[in-house]
Structures are given as structure tokens and as C-alpha cells.
Amino acid sequence: MSEPQDPIHHDSRREPRPVSVLRPTTVVSAHCDLPCGVYDPAQARIEAESVKATIEKYHASDDEQFKARAIAIKEERSDLVKHHLWVLWTDYFKPPHFEKYPQLHELFNEATKLAGAGGTKGSLDVKVAEDLLGKIAEIDAIFWETKKA
């Protein structure tokens, strides 16, 4: 009969323990790494408004250094839009929401693409930024409907 093994000071020369010993005995879940419960599409909207304003200022300027900074800021803000949308998509919205609003996955997919390299991150077209804001507005309307429920 073998001695009980100390889980911290395990002698690796012995036979390995079954994987089940490594499984947690209590499983917990949360919306995010720190379950604060604060979600709002406004974060994505504000960043998208910044993207649109930056594109407009880019086109209004003749200063090449300003334009270079504007592009860098626009790209950074576009990434932040995607981040805030992904948090909502993956952490806030749950299967019952997707059942009630079957267009939700497509809306998020389209919105994140509009914020990506094929959208505002890679474009200087104000119309693309306006389209992004439109998708965020659609997500926002659904979000607030779910909060009322």
C-alpha cells in the first residue's frame, strides 16, 4: 500500500497521480475575470465617436505630423471599440439573449469588422465610422431592452 501523497511536495519519480486529483472540487463562474457587473455599450460608442472625429480632423488638416498622429490615435481607438464590443458579446450577452435576438451575433460580427482593419482601423472614410456608430446604436437598443427584462 502506498503512502498518501502530499499534493504540494509530490515526488515526480513516483507514478503520476490521476488527473482527477488536479480538478477543482468547486467550480465557479463569472462574467469576467473580475465580476464587476458593469457593462454598457456607451464605452464602444464613445470610442467610435472619437474615431469619427479623428477622421474628420485628419481630413481638415494640412499638417503631415498632425495627420500621422491622427492615424495612430484612430487605429488605437478602433481597437478599443473592438475590445468593448467583445466584452459585451462574450461576457454580458448570454444564450437567452441570442435566442430572443437572433440578429445579435451578426450585429456584433459586423460591428467588430467595421472597427477592424477592413473598417475604421484601416480606413479614413467618415462613412465607415458612421456605419460603425449605427451598428453600435443597434446593439445599444438591444442591450437596454435586456436590462428592462
Side-chain angles (χ1 to χ4, degrees), residues 24 77 88 135 144-145:
R77 298 292 178 222
L88 287 170
K135 292 295 178 188
W144 289 108
E145 282 182 34

Side-chain angles (χ1 to χ4, degrees), residues 13-15 18 25 27 54 56 75 82 87-88 90 109 114 127 140 145 148:
R13 292 173 290 173
R14 295 183 184 172
E15 277 192 31
T25 56
V27 177
T54 302
E56 290 169 340
E75 290 176 358
K82 286 172 38 176
V87 168
L88 287 170
T90 61
N109 185 48
L114 280 168
K127 171 82 169 80
D140 183 76
E145 282 182 34
K148 291 177 189 173

